[in-house]
Amino acid sequence: MPDQPALLSYPDPPLTDGTVMLRRWAESDIGCVEEASRDPHIPEGTTVPARFTTADGLAWIERQWGRADNGEGLSLAIADAGSDNALGAVVLMFRRQPGIAEIGYWLVERARGRRLASRAVALVARWALTDAPLARVEALVEPENIASQRVLESVGFQREGHLRSYLVFNERRADAFIYSLLPGDLT
Ligand SMILES: CC(C)(COP(=O)(O)OP(=O)(O)OC[C@H]1O[C@@H](n2cnc3c(N)ncnc32)[C@H](O)[C@@H]1OP(=O)(O)O)[C@@H](O)C(=O)NCCC(=O)NCCS
């Protein structure tokens, strides 16, 4: 059985497919965090501040650096490979079980509809299962979030079940579909 990593280090060189590049967050990405805070779906499911201030935006970026430094996982900016503009986030967070991380992702609204999330999830999931190496990457998605399910299925994630009243948001609970990707699912 391979050793399971206690820490995830930033991929070096950064992961890219020529269209998106996944890289460490920078303070200059604050505009992306501000855009994300204006989208009602992103602050609800993440720690992106719902009411943006520069201080809160910078604190969010510092928390992303902390994911790797504290051994919580890894948070990468999804950037346009040409301009280096940050368009979203893809995050791996360790679960309690060894060798397992949950993946989360979002794009600012203007970057959606171009399959950029599928590209980012494919890059980071493949890296996590082959280079990191993790044994399993899992994802929790609300049944109504069809775009997110399509992203996962396009990468090869398999739906394993329907978890009732599993997700907790500020003012509501929600069901979740649980998906996973194992090394053998990579094509
Ligand atoms: C989920 C998200 C990352 C998808 O990113 P994206 O790159 O814009 O995804 P795409 O536009 O390429 O859509 C992916 C698929 O979903 C489909 N889709 C998109 N919106 C849809 C909708 N409202 N209803 C049904 N299908 C939809 C697309 O047609 C595409 O399908 P295809 O690959 O078979 O053509 C983006 O919508 C987002 O950031 N949402 C808010 C945060 C979020 O929900 N994160 C995931 C939490 S689990």
PDB file of all heavy atoms in Angstrom, residues 122-149:
ATOM      1  N   ALA A 122     -10.288  17.992 -13.743  1.00  0.00           N
ATOM      2  CA  ALA A 122      -9.544  16.885 -14.350  1.00  0.00           C
ATOM      3  C   ALA A 122      -8.059  16.984 -14.007  1.00  0.00           C
ATOM      4  O   ALA A 122      -7.422  15.992 -13.623  1.00  0.00           O
ATOM      5  CB  ALA A 122      -9.742  16.882 -15.869  1.00  0.00           C
ATOM      6  N   LEU A 123      -7.504  18.177 -14.120  1.00  0.00           N
ATOM      7  CA  LEU A 123      -6.073  18.350 -13.845  1.00  0.00           C
ATOM      8  C   LEU A 123      -5.741  18.027 -12.396  1.00  0.00           C
ATOM      9  O   LEU A 123      -4.801  17.286 -12.105  1.00  0.00           O
ATOM     10  CB  LEU A 123      -5.650  19.796 -14.142  1.00  0.00           C
ATOM     11  CG  LEU A 123      -5.415  20.196 -15.597  1.00  0.00           C
ATOM     12  CD1 LEU A 123      -5.280  21.722 -15.698  1.00  0.00           C
ATOM     13  CD2 LEU A 123      -4.161  19.521 -16.150  1.00  0.00           C
ATOM     14  N   VAL A 124      -6.520  18.579 -11.484  1.00  0.00           N
ATOM     15  CA  VAL A 124      -6.149  18.420 -10.067  1.00  0.00           C
ATOM     16  C   VAL A 124      -6.478  17.010  -9.578  1.00  0.00           C
ATOM     17  O   VAL A 124      -5.724  16.439  -8.774  1.00  0.00           O
ATOM     18  CB  VAL A 124      -6.780  19.532  -9.196  1.00  0.00           C
ATOM     19  CG1 VAL A 124      -8.209  19.255  -8.836  1.00  0.00           C
ATOM     20  CG2 VAL A 124      -5.959  19.754  -7.936  1.00  0.00           C
ATOM     21  N   ALA A 125      -7.560  16.413 -10.067  1.00  0.00           N
ATOM     22  CA  ALA A 125      -7.918  15.065  -9.612  1.00  0.00           C
ATOM     23  C   ALA A 125      -6.888  14.052 -10.117  1.00  0.00           C
ATOM     24  O   ALA A 125      -6.459  13.161  -9.377  1.00  0.00           O
ATOM     25  CB  ALA A 125      -9.322  14.704 -10.083  1.00  0.00           C
ATOM     26  N   ARG A 126      -6.475  14.183 -11.366  1.00  0.00           N
ATOM     27  CA  ARG A 126      -5.455  13.271 -11.901  1.00  0.00           C
ATOM     28  C   ARG A 126      -4.152  13.416 -11.118  1.00  0.00           C
ATOM     29  O   ARG A 126      -3.531  12.440 -10.728  1.00  0.00           O
ATOM     30  CB  ARG A 126      -5.220  13.574 -13.392  1.00  0.00           C
ATOM     31  CG  ARG A 126      -4.091  12.767 -14.014  1.00  0.00           C
ATOM     32  CD  ARG A 126      -4.037  12.968 -15.525  1.00  0.00           C
ATOM     33  NE  ARG A 126      -5.148  12.327 -16.204  1.00  0.00           N
ATOM     34  CZ  ARG A 126      -5.186  11.030 -16.527  1.00  0.00           C
ATOM     35  NH1 ARG A 126      -4.178  10.243 -16.220  1.00  0.00           N
ATOM     36  NH2 ARG A 126      -6.236  10.521 -17.134  1.00  0.00           N
ATOM     37  N   TRP A 127      -3.764  14.651 -10.865  1.00  0.00           N
ATOM     38  CA  TRP A 127      -2.532  14.899 -10.096  1.00  0.00           C
ATOM     39  C   TRP A 127      -2.656  14.302  -8.694  1.00  0.00           C
ATOM     40  O   TRP A 127      -1.728  13.649  -8.195  1.00  0.00           O
ATOM     41  CB  TRP A 127      -2.278  16.407 -10.029  1.00  0.00           C
ATOM     42  CG  TRP A 127      -1.190  16.778  -9.085  1.00  0.00           C
ATOM     43  CD1 TRP A 127       0.152  16.756  -9.318  1.00  0.00           C
ATOM     44  CD2 TRP A 127      -1.351  17.198  -7.718  1.00  0.00           C
ATOM     45  NE1 TRP A 127       0.831  17.134  -8.189  1.00  0.00           N
ATOM     46  CE2 TRP A 127      -0.066  17.419  -7.204  1.00  0.00           C
ATOM     47  CE3 TRP A 127      -2.466  17.424  -6.903  1.00  0.00           C
ATOM     48  CZ2 TRP A 127       0.144  17.854  -5.890  1.00  0.00           C
ATOM     49  CZ3 TRP A 127      -2.259  17.843  -5.602  1.00  0.00           C
ATOM     50  CH2 TRP A 127      -0.962  18.052  -5.107  1.00  0.00           C
ATOM     51  N   ALA A 128      -3.816  14.504  -8.065  1.00  0.00           N
ATOM     52  CA  ALA A 128      -4.002  14.023  -6.686  1.00  0.00           C
ATOM     53  C   ALA A 128      -3.888  12.504  -6.608  1.00  0.00           C
ATOM     54  O   ALA A 128      -3.340  11.962  -5.651  1.00  0.00           O
ATOM     55  CB  ALA A 128      -5.360  14.479  -6.156  1.00  0.00           C
ATOM     56  N   LEU A 129      -4.404  11.803  -7.623  1.00  0.00           N
ATOM     57  CA  LEU A 129      -4.437  10.336  -7.575  1.00  0.00           C
ATOM     58  C   LEU A 129      -3.158   9.698  -8.110  1.00  0.00           C
ATOM     59  O   LEU A 129      -2.908   8.529  -7.845  1.00  0.00           O
ATOM     60  CB  LEU A 129      -5.647   9.815  -8.361  1.00  0.00           C
ATOM     61  CG  LEU A 129      -7.021  10.164  -7.761  1.00  0.00           C
ATOM     62  CD1 LEU A 129      -8.140   9.765  -8.716  1.00  0.00           C
ATOM     63  CD2 LEU A 129      -7.221   9.496  -6.406  1.00  0.00           C
ATOM     64  N   THR A 130      -2.376  10.447  -8.855  1.00  0.00           N
ATOM     65  CA  THR A 130      -1.169   9.841  -9.415  1.00  0.00           C
ATOM     66  C   THR A 130       0.107  10.387  -8.779  1.00  0.00           C
ATOM     67  O   THR A 130       1.005   9.633  -8.449  1.00  0.00           O
ATOM     68  CB  THR A 130      -1.092  10.041 -10.951  1.00  0.00           C
ATOM     69  OG1 THR A 130      -1.198  11.422 -11.229  1.00  0.00           O
ATOM     70  CG2 THR A 130      -2.192   9.293 -11.662  1.00  0.00           C
ATOM     71  N   ASP A 131       0.181  11.694  -8.554  1.00  0.00           N
ATOM     72  CA  ASP A 131       1.423  12.284  -8.038  1.00  0.00           C
ATOM     73  C   ASP A 131       1.408  12.485  -6.530  1.00  0.00           C
ATOM     74  O   ASP A 131       2.455  12.401  -5.902  1.00  0.00           O
ATOM     75  CB  ASP A 131       1.689  13.635  -8.711  1.00  0.00           C
ATOM     76  CG  ASP A 131       1.970  13.462 -10.186  1.00  0.00           C
ATOM     77  OD1 ASP A 131       0.996  13.376 -10.953  1.00  0.00           O
ATOM     78  OD2 ASP A 131       3.135  13.367 -10.563  1.00  0.00           O
ATOM     79  N   ALA A 132       0.219  12.782  -5.950  1.00  0.00           N
ATOM     80  CA  ALA A 132       0.224  13.163  -4.522  1.00  0.00           C
ATOM     81  C   ALA A 132       0.690  12.022  -3.592  1.00  0.00           C
ATOM     82  O   ALA A 132       1.537  12.299  -2.732  1.00  0.00           O
ATOM     83  CB  ALA A 132      -1.133  13.720  -4.108  1.00  0.00           C
ATOM     84  N   PRO A 133       0.353  10.733  -3.636  1.00  0.00           N
ATOM     85  CA  PRO A 133      -0.808  10.199  -4.308  1.00  0.00           C
ATOM     86  C   PRO A 133      -1.904   9.898  -3.285  1.00  0.00           C
ATOM     87  O   PRO A 133      -1.650   9.300  -2.245  1.00  0.00           O
ATOM     88  CB  PRO A 133      -0.269   8.880  -4.893  1.00  0.00           C
ATOM     89  CG  PRO A 133       0.743   8.404  -3.885  1.00  0.00           C
ATOM     90  CD  PRO A 133       1.224   9.623  -3.122  1.00  0.00           C
ATOM     91  N   LEU A 134      -3.115  10.293  -3.610  1.00  0.00           N
ATOM     92  CA  LEU A 134      -4.271   9.957  -2.786  1.00  0.00           C
ATOM     93  C   LEU A 134      -4.927   8.692  -3.323  1.00  0.00           C
ATOM     94  O   LEU A 134      -4.721   8.318  -4.486  1.00  0.00           O
ATOM     95  CB  LEU A 134      -5.287  11.101  -2.806  1.00  0.00           C
ATOM     96  CG  LEU A 134      -4.829  12.440  -2.240  1.00  0.00           C
ATOM     97  CD1 LEU A 134      -5.920  13.489  -2.433  1.00  0.00           C
ATOM     98  CD2 LEU A 134      -4.494  12.311  -0.766  1.00  0.00           C
ATOM     99  N   ALA A 135      -5.712   8.040  -2.476  1.00  0.00           N
ATOM    100  CA  ALA A 135      -6.398   6.814  -2.884  1.00  0.00           C
ATOM    101  C   ALA A 135      -7.782   7.109  -3.458  1.00  0.00           C
ATOM    102  O   ALA A 135      -8.330   6.316  -4.229  1.00  0.00           O
ATOM    103  CB  ALA A 135      -6.540   5.877  -1.690  1.00  0.00           C
ATOM    104  N   ARG A 136      -8.347   8.275  -3.059  1.00  0.00           N
ATOM    105  CA  ARG A 136      -9.737   8.560  -3.439  1.00  0.00           C
ATOM    106  C   ARG A 136      -9.955  10.071  -3.352  1.00  0.00           C
ATOM    107  O   ARG A 136      -9.515  10.709  -2.381  1.00  0.00           O
ATOM    108  CB  ARG A 136     -10.663   7.827  -2.455  1.00  0.00           C
ATOM    109  CG  ARG A 136     -12.118   8.212  -2.492  1.00  0.00           C
ATOM    110  CD  ARG A 136     -12.866   7.452  -1.390  1.00  0.00           C
ATOM    111  NE  ARG A 136     -14.162   8.058  -1.132  1.00  0.00           N
ATOM    112  CZ  ARG A 136     -15.330   7.564  -1.588  1.00  0.00           C
ATOM    113  NH1 ARG A 136     -15.359   6.454  -2.281  1.00  0.00           N
ATOM    114  NH2 ARG A 136     -16.456   8.189  -1.319  1.00  0.00           N
ATOM    115  N   VAL A 137     -10.613  10.613  -4.375  1.00  0.00           N
ATOM    116  CA  VAL A 137     -11.073  12.009  -4.321  1.00  0.00           C
ATOM    117  C   VAL A 137     -12.589  11.940  -4.352  1.00  0.00           C
ATOM    118  O   VAL A 137     -13.169  11.248  -5.204  1.00  0.00           O
ATOM    119  CB  VAL A 137     -10.532  12.833  -5.504  1.00  0.00           C
ATOM    120  CG1 VAL A 137     -11.095  14.254  -5.474  1.00  0.00           C
ATOM    121  CG2 VAL A 137      -9.003  12.873  -5.471  1.00  0.00           C
ATOM    122  N   GLU A 138     -13.235  12.626  -3.403  1.00  0.00           N
ATOM    123  CA  GLU A 138     -14.697  12.578  -3.384  1.00  0.00           C
ATOM    124  C   GLU A 138     -15.289  13.972  -3.473  1.00  0.00           C
ATOM    125  O   GLU A 138     -14.598  14.972  -3.256  1.00  0.00           O
ATOM    126  CB  GLU A 138     -15.217  11.817  -2.155  1.00  0.00           C
ATOM    127  CG  GLU A 138     -14.834  12.399  -0.828  1.00  0.00           C
ATOM    128  CD  GLU A 138     -15.247  11.494   0.339  1.00  0.00           C
ATOM    129  OE1 GLU A 138     -15.208  10.252   0.196  1.00  0.00           O
ATOM    130  OE2 GLU A 138     -15.613  12.053   1.388  1.00  0.00           O
ATOM    131  N   ALA A 139     -16.568  14.024  -3.834  1.00  0.00           N
ATOM    132  CA  ALA A 139     -17.244  15.312  -4.001  1.00  0.00           C
ATOM    133  C   ALA A 139     -18.682  15.183  -3.547  1.00  0.00           C
ATOM    134  O   ALA A 139     -19.312  14.138  -3.738  1.00  0.00           O
ATOM    135  CB  ALA A 139     -17.201  15.734  -5.472  1.00  0.00           C
ATOM    136  N   LEU A 140     -19.184  16.252  -2.953  1.00  0.00           N
ATOM    137  CA  LEU A 140     -20.573  16.317  -2.506  1.00  0.00           C
ATOM    138  C   LEU A 140     -21.272  17.408  -3.302  1.00  0.00           C
ATOM    139  O   LEU A 140     -20.790  18.544  -3.346  1.00  0.00           O
ATOM    140  CB  LEU A 140     -20.632  16.647  -1.014  1.00  0.00           C
ATOM    141  CG  LEU A 140     -20.019  15.598  -0.091  1.00  0.00           C
ATOM    142  CD1 LEU A 140     -19.817  16.163   1.307  1.00  0.00           C
ATOM    143  CD2 LEU A 140     -20.908  14.354  -0.032  1.00  0.00           C
ATOM    144  N   VAL A 141     -22.382  17.075  -3.927  1.00  0.00           N
ATOM    145  CA  VAL A 141     -23.074  18.019  -4.805  1.00  0.00           C
ATOM    146  C   VAL A 141     -24.562  17.990  -4.506  1.00  0.00           C
ATOM    147  O   VAL A 141     -25.149  16.907  -4.373  1.00  0.00           O
ATOM    148  CB  VAL A 141     -22.887  17.626  -6.293  1.00  0.00           C
ATOM    149  CG1 VAL A 141     -23.430  18.708  -7.203  1.00  0.00           C
ATOM    150  CG2 VAL A 141     -21.446  17.349  -6.609  1.00  0.00           C
ATOM    151  N   GLU A 142     -25.174  19.171  -4.455  1.00  0.00           N
ATOM    152  CA  GLU A 142     -26.625  19.190  -4.292  1.00  0.00           C
ATOM    153  C   GLU A 142     -27.293  18.578  -5.527  1.00  0.00           C
ATOM    154  O   GLU A 142     -26.839  18.818  -6.660  1.00  0.00           O
ATOM    155  CB  GLU A 142     -27.099  20.623  -4.103  1.00  0.00           C
ATOM    156  CG  GLU A 142     -26.838  21.147  -2.707  1.00  0.00           C
ATOM    157  CD  GLU A 142     -27.593  22.433  -2.460  1.00  0.00           C
ATOM    158  OE1 GLU A 142     -28.830  22.386  -2.324  1.00  0.00           O
ATOM    159  OE2 GLU A 142     -26.937  23.484  -2.431  1.00  0.00           O
ATOM    160  N   PRO A 143     -28.374  17.817  -5.333  1.00  0.00           N
ATOM    161  CA  PRO A 143     -29.042  17.186  -6.480  1.00  0.00           C
ATOM    162  C   PRO A 143     -29.471  18.189  -7.556  1.00  0.00           C
ATOM    163  O   PRO A 143     -29.507  17.862  -8.739  1.00  0.00           O
ATOM    164  CB  PRO A 143     -30.263  16.508  -5.841  1.00  0.00           C
ATOM    165  CG  PRO A 143     -29.807  16.204  -4.438  1.00  0.00           C
ATOM    166  CD  PRO A 143     -28.919  17.371  -4.048  1.00  0.00           C
ATOM    167  N   GLU A 144     -29.744  19.444  -7.165  1.00  0.00           N
ATOM    168  CA  GLU A 144     -30.176  20.452  -8.143  1.00  0.00           C
ATOM    169  C   GLU A 144     -29.012  21.017  -8.952  1.00  0.00           C
ATOM    170  O   GLU A 144     -29.232  21.694  -9.963  1.00  0.00           O
ATOM    171  CB  GLU A 144     -30.867  21.641  -7.425  1.00  0.00           C
ATOM    172  CG  GLU A 144     -32.156  21.304  -6.696  1.00  0.00           C
ATOM    173  CD  GLU A 144     -31.933  20.533  -5.396  1.00  0.00           C
ATOM    174  OE1 GLU A 144     -30.811  20.599  -4.825  1.00  0.00           O
ATOM    175  OE2 GLU A 144     -32.873  19.826  -4.954  1.00  0.00           O
ATOM    176  N   ASN A 145     -27.793  20.792  -8.522  1.00  0.00           N
ATOM    177  CA  ASN A 145     -26.643  21.430  -9.172  1.00  0.00           C
ATOM    178  C   ASN A 145     -26.165  20.560 -10.347  1.00  0.00           C
ATOM    179  O   ASN A 145     -25.151  19.871 -10.279  1.00  0.00           O
ATOM    180  CB  ASN A 145     -25.516  21.664  -8.158  1.00  0.00           C
ATOM    181  CG  ASN A 145     -24.470  22.641  -8.663  1.00  0.00           C
ATOM    182  OD1 ASN A 145     -24.392  22.894  -9.877  1.00  0.00           O
ATOM    183  ND2 ASN A 145     -23.675  23.182  -7.766  1.00  0.00           N
ATOM    184  N   ILE A 146     -26.929  20.663 -11.438  1.00  0.00           N
ATOM    185  CA  ILE A 146     -26.671  19.799 -12.599  1.00  0.00           C
ATOM    186  C   ILE A 146     -25.314  20.135 -13.224  1.00  0.00           C
ATOM    187  O   ILE A 146     -24.563  19.234 -13.621  1.00  0.00           O
ATOM    188  CB  ILE A 146     -27.791  19.961 -13.658  1.00  0.00           C
ATOM    189  CG1 ILE A 146     -29.175  19.713 -13.029  1.00  0.00           C
ATOM    190  CG2 ILE A 146     -27.557  19.012 -14.839  1.00  0.00           C
ATOM    191  CD1 ILE A 146     -29.400  18.319 -12.500  1.00  0.00           C
ATOM    192  N   ALA A 147     -24.983  21.424 -13.322  1.00  0.00           N
ATOM    193  CA  ALA A 147     -23.710  21.797 -13.957  1.00  0.00           C
ATOM    194  C   ALA A 147     -22.540  21.147 -13.220  1.00  0.00           C
ATOM    195  O   ALA A 147     -21.617  20.606 -13.840  1.00  0.00           O
ATOM    196  CB  ALA A 147     -23.563  23.318 -13.988  1.00  0.00           C
ATOM    197  N   SER A 148     -22.599  21.158 -11.895  1.00  0.00           N
ATOM    198  CA  SER A 148     -21.501  20.575 -11.115  1.00  0.00           C
ATOM    199  C   SER A 148     -21.446  19.058 -11.302  1.00  0.00           C
ATOM    200  O   SER A 148     -20.360  18.470 -11.391  1.00  0.00           O
ATOM    201  CB  SER A 148     -21.691  20.936  -9.635  1.00  0.00           C
ATOM    202  OG  SER A 148     -20.615  20.452  -8.886  1.00  0.00           O
ATOM    203  N   GLN A 149     -22.615  18.414 -11.372  1.00  0.00           N
ATOM    204  CA  GLN A 149     -22.613  16.954 -11.606  1.00  0.00           C
ATOM    205  C   GLN A 149     -22.031  16.637 -12.977  1.00  0.00           C
ATOM    206  O   GLN A 149     -21.284  15.668 -13.138  1.00  0.00           O
ATOM    207  CB  GLN A 149     -24.040  16.414 -11.497  1.00  0.00           C
ATOM    208  CG  GLN A 149     -24.583  16.492 -10.073  1.00  0.00           C
ATOM    209  CD  GLN A 149     -26.076  16.320 -10.017  1.00  0.00           C
ATOM    210  OE1 GLN A 149     -26.648  15.469 -10.686  1.00  0.00           O
ATOM    211  NE2 GLN A 149     -26.734  17.145  -9.214  1.00  0.00           N
TER     212      GLN A 149
END
